[in-house]
Amino acid sequence: DSIVPLDITVVLQQYGCLYGFTDKTYDLYEDDIPKAMIEQTGERMTFVNEMIIYGALRACTNQYYGGSGTSLSTVNGAITLGMVRKIVKNLQANHAEPITSVLSSSQNFDTSAVPEGFVVYVNSDMAPDIRDLPNFTPAEKYASGKPMPYELGMCENFRFVWSPDLPSLQNAGAAVGATGLYSTTGVSIDVYQFIVAAENAWSQIAVRGRQALETTYLEPGKKDKADPLGQRGYAGTAWWKAVMVENPGWMAVGNVGVKTLT
């Protein structure tokens, strides 16, 4: 037998974030607005990177649809344990490896051991439906170890991580009818896409090194033809990023609605 290395070509893209302020703000405002802009630059960069990743992952070709749906426009059900099991069965059939390791049991009362499993990224609107899943264990009841940041909990061998920044597809599903699912307009179901990932299903690339992150901070006062009175300053950064799904059989995208809260 032999191993043949496979090189995958990925095109890096450059992204930028820039905030502007005037000499009036810089000289007279009681708060340090430029400092706040520098902090916001870091937060915005993190948000943009998350959206880049989510945009690439939800394009995975291994798709599942809630209820009796067979396409995005026919989604008419919320997430269920049966759907979760169907997804993990498919991943395991493709020899997908779990991402997380076992968190062992302890002597503490009302706590649970956590099996190795797959990570599921969901919109925060799905949290009530996930908590209603049979066998769901909230992260605060893990017997040992530490939950991942923003981890909601686990169900069988899935560990759910939520974010409010994973957008829904408004009015993209089937007619609301008597489904009890949420719709922005009350006509068609809003579809939420959640990502199920196994080990090595996808990769992200960023340029490393001291010069990889090009930061900008220009105070007012520098005069040129574009700003002859030196009235403007700027804070921002530019960076390189690329994301690629390497094995669609090791991850999946679920398309579901969420139950209307009453």
Side-chain angles (χ1 to χ4, degrees), residues 114-161:
V114 180
E116 64 179 5
F118 306 99
V119 177
V120 186
Y121 302 100
V122 303
N123 184 287
S124 54
D125 290 354
M126 293 179 61
D129 295 344
I130 292 170
R131 291 185 184 276
D132 288 340
L133 292 175
N135 307 321
F136 176 80
T137 300
E140 59 267 23
K141 289 190 176 182
Y142 290 178
S144 62
K146 292 184 178 181
M148 292 176 283
Y150 297 102
E151 183 171 357
L152 182 64
M154 66 97 177
C155 181
E156 297 189 351
N157 51 351
F158 278 74
R159 292 176 64 176
F160 295 92
V161 178

Side-chain angles (χ1 to χ4, degrees), residues 88-105:
V88 73
K89 179 180 179 181
N90 174 261
L91 296 183
Q92 290 172 333
N94 290 324
H95 303 282
E97 295 291 336
I99 293 180
T100 62
S101 57
V102 173
L103 300 181
S104 59
S105 59

Side-chain angles (χ1 to χ4, degrees), residues 16-249:
C17 169
L18 185 65
Y19 297 97
F21 54 93
T22 66
D23 58 344
K24 180 179 180 180
T25 298
Y26 183 78
D27 294 333
L28 304 179
Y29 202 82
E30 60 183 3
D31 296 325
D32 191 347
I33 299 300
K35 180 181 178 182
M37 287 182 173
I38 293 172
E39 294 175 354
Q40 182 62 30
T41 297
E43 294 180 6
R44 179 60 57 175
M45 178 181 175
T46 301
F47 172 75
V48 171
N49 281 336
E50 186 174 89
M51 292 298 96
I52 295 168
I53 295 170
Y54 181 64
L57 298 190
R58 72 179 189 172
C60 173
T61 56
N62 195 17
Q63 301 268 338
Y64 292 80
Y65 303 95
S68 60
T70 56
S71 65
L72 200 63
S73 61
T74 59
V75 169
N76 59 359
I79 189 171
T80 64
L81 181 57
M83 183 180 189
V84 170
R85 286 172 171 170
K86 185 177 180 180
I87 291 175
V88 73
K89 179 180 179 181
N90 174 261
L91 296 183
Q92 290 172 333
N94 290 324
H95 303 282
E97 295 291 336
I99 293 180
T100 62
S101 57
V102 173
L103 300 181
S104 59
S105 59
S106 73
Q107 73 276 13
N108 295 331
F109 177 74
D110 197 24
T111 60
S112 301
V114 180
E116 64 179 5
F118 306 99
V119 177
V120 186
Y121 302 100
V122 303
N123 184 287
S124 54
D125 290 354
M126 293 179 61
D129 295 344
I130 292 170
R131 291 185 184 276
D132 288 340
L133 292 175
N135 307 321
F136 176 80
T137 300
E140 59 267 23
K141 289 190 176 182
Y142 290 178
S144 62
K146 292 184 178 181
M148 292 176 283
Y150 297 102
E151 183 171 357
L152 182 64
M154 66 97 177
C155 181
E156 297 189 351
N157 51 351
F158 278 74
R159 292 176 64 176
F160 295 92
V161 178
W162 65 270
S163 170
D165 297 323
L166 308 184
S168 63
L169 303 175
Q170 296 181 355
N171 306 299
V176 174
T179 61
L181 300 179
Y182 179 76
S183 169
T184 300
T185 62
V187 178
S188 298
I189 297 167
D190 290 358
V191 176
Y192 290 79
Q193 296 181 294
F194 63 90
I195 311 296
V196 184
E199 187 75 27
N200 297 322
W202 61 279
S203 297
Q204 56 180 322
I205 301 171
V207 178
R208 301 180 64 181
R210 294 179 59 186
Q211 305 302 321
L213 190 63
E214 184 181 347
T215 58
T216 296
Y217 179 65
L218 301 176
E219 296 180 354
K222 184 178 181 181
K223 302 177 181 180
D224 56 29
K225 292 183 179 180
D227 185 12
L229 298 180
Q231 294 175 296
R232 285 165 176 73
Y234 298 94
T237 189
W239 71 98
W240 296 87
K241 185 78 172 180
V243 180
M244 183 174 183
V245 175
E246 297 175 2
N247 194 327

